[in-house]
Amino acid sequence: MKSLRSVLFAAVVLITVLPVQAAGNLVVDLSKPSIGIATDFIGEDLMIFGSTLGQGEVIIVVRGPERAEVVRRKEKFSGIWINKDSVNFRSVPYFYAVASTLPLETILPEETLIEKKIGAKYLEFGLEWDIRRSADMHEFRNALIRNKWRQGLFSKELANITFLGHQLFRIDIHFPSNVIPGTYKIETYLVRDKKIISQKNKELVIEKVGIESGIYNFAHDKPYYYGIIAVFISAIAGWLVSVFFRKS
Amino acid sequence: MDVYLPIAEVSVNVFLILGMGGLVGFLSGLFGVGGGFLMTPLLIFVGIPSPVAVATEANQLIAASISGVFAHWRRRNVDFKMGGVLLAGGIVGSSAGVWLFTFLRGVGQIDFVIRVSYVIFLSIIGVLMMIESFRALTKNHGRKISKKHHHIWLHGLPWKMRFRRSQLYISAFLPLGIGFIVGVLAAIMGVGGGFIMVPAMIYLLGMPTVMVAGTSLFQIIFVAANVTLLQSINNQTVDVLLALLLLIGSAIGAQYGARAGIKLKGEQLRALLALVVLGVCGKLAYDFFATPGDTFTLGPLVGH
């Protein structure tokens, strides 16, 4: 009798609370929806914050726009270091950062990390794997990550998400001055018992603003006119200098 | 005060760039050199990507040569016909140069080629300047008195043309060839090429020395404009904001340089410039031999 009651109670709780929890047990927002790159841009911090219902660990992944990259290896050629072998990667996120409340491997199995692309070492980067060069490929892949670290575009350490109380969490992600414009995806996962039980996606837009965006877009959209104008600006400037300094 | 450069996509200190423009402008005013061969390596040293440094320097060069050519024009020291023939070679050469540049960028060797070209040419100029200033300093005026027109096989080439201002009757292939070579260099190194053009005009063409600077500057304007245009179209590597900053710095620097040149002793300064040139060259050369911190480099995949 007693056990039946508790089973019933559990059922009621499950039916009434769980759907609500599954849908709304993770709330995330960004301190700003976009970051502008203006002439005075020296990098910027973004705060990601949110709350969870109930227990669990939180993982946040920030992915920049993807583009094709090439890693080249220098080799010594009669005393001089020169680029030799190269490996192409078709889809490398320009920026990549992961933050978590605990080390990734302790809260999720590797298969999940690979599947969800969580953690730089689990990313494939669109590499066309050449089995004959397997050892080499690993080296080039590691070099890609290492170069991105050095440029501050991949986070070297796992950023530590802090909980404020039991439910509120926040983390600051730094975007250095060399980020490129584009849409940055911010994925937040709630993890319990080695499983992802909820995921929320947000987008951050990084764009060039003001004169920066004007010049950049113009150079790429209308390269002929850009070239002609660049020539004219310089020509007029040269003429002005000549006139100005002759009189003085 | 930092400024974000829209094409180079890096943040640089405004005063550093203005200062570099000023310093190189000062030297170019002082010695009457173009300064591109110093500016481009300096830009690379402060972190501007080398393709952007080269293309932007070509853009800035237009202003520098225009402001320079007026002074010579007023003194009627420009041989427009010779300039035109040099220019024809220059346009073909610089177009070929930009094509080569785009190709090398695609295969990942552009950085290497830019640096190698600089090491070669800077070491030659540096050493020659050093020798010249040492000779002058030791008062050993052992200058060879050479004939103005000593004939070599080059002068036997066909298609002779008369250049009235320079009082020359030579094959058009000579200035065409010189223009072509300097055009290629302008595209790859972002230099006006005065350091090759000027000796070539004096020793190979046998032009009167007074006509050389003005005529060389005159044709550089158009070669630099061609490079700027083609780099903008093919590689989108011309940063107008950077060019403008350099331009302001160098315009001011050049005026002070020209004034200082009148008062200061030339030979010591020439030795000093030689040292600067060799220093820049040494730094570039050192990077070839030094073991890199990381033998792997990362870059965007272009030309695929």
Side-chain angles (χ1 to χ4, degrees):
Chain A
M1 197 60 189
K2 199 181 174 188
S3 66
L4 184 67
R5 226 148 94 197
S6 59
V7 168
L8 269 174
F9 176 73
V12 168
V13 168
L14 277 173
I15 291 160
T16 54
V17 179
L18 209 69
V20 178
Q21 269 203 0
N25 55 5
L26 184 59
V27 181
V28 187
D29 207 357
L30 314 175
S31 56
K32 52 203 151 199
S34 65
I35 290 178
I37 301 179
T39 328
D40 60 352
F41 184 68
I42 49 164
E44 207 161 308
D45 280 350
L46 174 80
M47 184 174 74
I48 304 167
F49 59 95
S51 80
T52 63
L53 253 183
Q55 296 295 306
E57 303 302 332
V58 177
I59 302 173
I60 295 175
V61 182
V62 183
R63 304 175 201 277
E66 290 186 349
R67 66 175 195 178
E69 305 254 12
V70 53
V71 176
R72 298 194 169 90
R73 179 167 54 198
K74 283 195 174 74
E75 269 172 46
K76 213 165 188 174
F77 182 76
S78 58
I80 288 174
W81 289 92
I82 187 165
N83 282 341
K84 200 158 168 284
D85 295 336
S86 67
V87 170
N88 297 345
F89 296 85
R90 276 179 293 107
S91 50
V92 181
Y94 193 78
F95 179 89
Y96 187 83
V98 181
S100 174
T101 44
L102 282 176
L104 296 175
E105 289 78 8
T106 64
I107 52 175
L108 274 179
E110 268 196 6
E111 304 87 74
T112 317
L113 294 172
I114 292 168
E115 187 205 326
K116 289 286 182 182
K117 298 178 175 176
I118 302 172
K121 68 173 175 178
Y122 300 113
L123 298 182
E124 278 295 330
F125 303 118
L127 168 62
E128 285 160 21
W129 202 270
D130 185 345
I131 199 80
R132 286 159 300 174
R133 293 176 64 193
S134 207
D136 239 19
M137 292 271 163
H138 275 295
E139 222 183 318
F140 276 92
R141 213 181 133 278
N142 292 340
L144 167 74
I145 297 173
R146 199 166 57 235
N147 271 277
K148 283 287 193 182
W149 280 350
R150 217 174 19 241
Q151 296 167 8
L153 293 167
F154 277 25
S155 53
K156 191 166 187 174
E157 309 274 323
L158 182 74
N160 197 13
I161 299 178
T162 47
F163 263 108
L164 314 156
H166 288 298
Q167 295 183 331
L168 299 175
F169 62 86
R170 61 165 280 182
I171 179 82
D172 287 315
I173 299 284
H174 179 69
F175 292 87
S177 70
N178 52 342
V179 289
I180 55 164
T183 303
Y184 287 61
K185 294 188 188 121
I186 295 159
E187 299 159 1
T188 309
Y189 300 94
L190 180 63
V191 178
R192 201 179 295 158
D193 301 329
K194 303 233 166 200
K195 281 196 189 70
I196 294 172
I197 59 165
S198 187
Q199 176 180 355
K200 277 276 154 11
N201 295 338
K202 282 270 167 191
E203 284 187 348
L204 171 79
V205 176
I206 298 188
E207 56 194 348
K208 295 193 181 182
V209 292
I211 193 167
E212 295 306 303
S213 93
I215 294 174
Y216 181 88
N217 291 338
F218 189 46
H220 285 263
D221 299 342
K222 303 234 160 54
Y224 287 84
Y225 294 116
Y226 180 89
I228 291 168
I229 287 174
V231 169
F232 266 94
I233 290 176
S234 194
I236 290 165
W239 176 71
L240 283 178
V241 166
S242 147
V243 172
F244 179 76
F245 282 104
R246 186 162 64 133
K247 283 180 181 158
S248 69
Chain B
M1 195 173 84
D2 282 350
V3 62
Y4 182 86
L5 301 171
I7 303 296
E9 302 195 302
V10 289
S11 210
V12 291
N13 188 294
V14 177
F15 301 109
L16 177 69
I17 299 293
L18 284 175
M20 274 164 46
L23 178 72
V24 175
F26 183 82
L27 292 174
S28 65
L30 194 55
F31 299 107
V33 292
F37 64 93
L38 279 177
M39 186 63 95
T40 310
L42 285 180
L43 288 174
I44 295 171
F45 291 161
V46 300
I48 308 291
S50 50
V52 177
V54 166
T56 304
E57 184 51 26
N59 189 14
Q60 190 238 323
L61 219 57
I62 303 172
S65 13
I66 286 185
S67 60
V69 87
F70 275 112
H72 294 280
W73 190 20
R74 275 181 227 116
R75 287 181 227 123
R76 297 172 53 76
N77 286 339
V78 181
D79 183 339
F80 287 104
K81 189 174 180 187
M82 178 64 86
V85 177
L86 285 166
L87 179 57
I91 295 289
V92 178
S94 56
S95 303
V98 173
W99 177 85
L100 188 63
F101 186 100
T102 311
F103 168 76
L104 289 169
R105 200 175 172 216
V107 297
Q109 299 297 352
I110 187 62
D111 208 62
F112 179 75
V113 172
I114 290 173
R115 283 166 183 268
V116 163
S117 316
Y118 268 102
V119 169
I120 293 170
F121 286 105
L122 290 183
S123 57
I124 295 172
I125 307 162
V127 168
L128 288 180
M129 278 172 48
M130 206 49 133
I131 293 170
E132 199 179 324
S133 48
F134 264 115
R135 274 201 191 135
L137 283 174
T138 53
K139 311 243 175 197
N140 178 17
H141 289 290
R143 280 191 74 124
K144 284 169 283 171
I145 299 148
S146 56
K147 266 195 298 177
K148 202 174 174 188
H149 294 279
H150 52 129
H151 278 259
I152 50 174
W153 65 271
L154 283 169
H155 295 105
L157 290 168
W159 200 19
K160 299 237 178 201
M161 258 176 124
R162 191 168 299 283
F163 298 96
R164 262 175 226 293
R165 283 218 138 267
S166 305
Q167 296 159 327
L168 283 174
Y169 182 63
I170 52 166
S171 164
F173 285 113
L174 273 175
L176 277 176
I178 293 169
F180 180 85
I181 292 167
V182 173
V184 173
L185 292 176
I188 291 184
M189 300 171 69
V191 293
F195 59 88
I196 298 177
M197 183 72 94
V198 168
M201 286 161 105
I202 296 173
Y203 298 113
L204 286 179
L205 302 182
M207 273 177 77
T209 318
V210 286
M211 305 295 291
V212 166
T215 308
S216 152
L217 282 172
F218 164 73
Q219 72 95 38
I220 286 169
I221 297 171
F222 299 97
V223 171
N226 187 43
V227 172
T228 305
L229 194 59
L230 292 177
Q231 291 283 22
S232 300
I233 293 165
N234 290 344
N235 296 313
Q236 289 92 45
T237 41
V238 176
D239 197 312
V240 282
L241 194 60
L242 178 59
L244 217 54
L245 288 174
L246 292 175
L247 212 143
I248 295 167
S250 70
I252 297 166
Q255 302 306 320
Y256 285 101
R259 266 169 229 175
I262 302 166
K263 291 174 201 158
L264 293 169
K265 264 193 162 180
E267 299 314 326
Q268 280 96 333
L269 283 168
R270 195 169 288 275
L272 204 65
L273 179 64
L275 278 180
V276 173
V277 167
L278 287 175
V280 170
C281 174
K283 163 80 177 103
L284 283 167
Y286 172 78
D287 292 342
F288 282 130
F289 296 104
T291 308
D294 191 342
T295 52
F296 292 86
T297 53
L298 176 70
L301 193 58
V302 290
H304 278 259

